[in-house]
Amino acid sequence: MSDRYNIMHVYWNGPNKMIRVMDWKEGKMVGFTFDEIDKENLDLELREYIRSIKDDIENGKYNYKI
């Protein structure tokens, strides 16, 4: 679990699974696709946090209709 990041929701945008995360340190929302988790442009702590809850994301725990 991360003290800095909290997942807000996951949704489909066309063919892409989108993830929205709150960055409490910066006070802003961060959005990215599921495929971008392994790219270097995301903060290391954010990538580790998403990897730690990857099964929950894939099983739909954070899926919300928006």
Side-chain angles (χ1 to χ4, degrees):
M1 208 58 181
S2 174
D3 291 330
R4 178 176 178 178
Y5 297 105
N6 286 99
I7 191 159
M8 301 308 286
H9 62 269
V10 176
Y11 62 97
W12 287 97
N13 185 6
N16 299 313
K17 186 179 271 193
M18 303 296 295
I19 300 171
R20 297 283 293 179
V21 175
M22 182 65 189
D23 179 344
W24 294 106
K25 181 179 178 184
E26 297 292 323
K28 64 180 181 179
M29 297 284 285
V30 179
F32 50 92
T33 65
F34 199 69
D35 296 336
E36 291 178 304
I37 294 169
D38 295 321
K39 294 186 178 177
E40 297 295 321
N41 61 327
L42 295 178
D43 178 71
L44 178 60
E45 184 179 350
L46 175 57
R47 288 183 290 168
E48 289 174 357
Y49 169 64
I50 295 299
R51 286 185 191 122
S52 75
I53 60 171
K54 187 174 181 180
D55 288 339
D56 288 339
I57 292 170
E58 290 177 339
N59 291 328
K61 181 177 179 176
Y62 301 103
N63 290 0
Y64 299 103
K65 291 181 181 180
I66 56 170

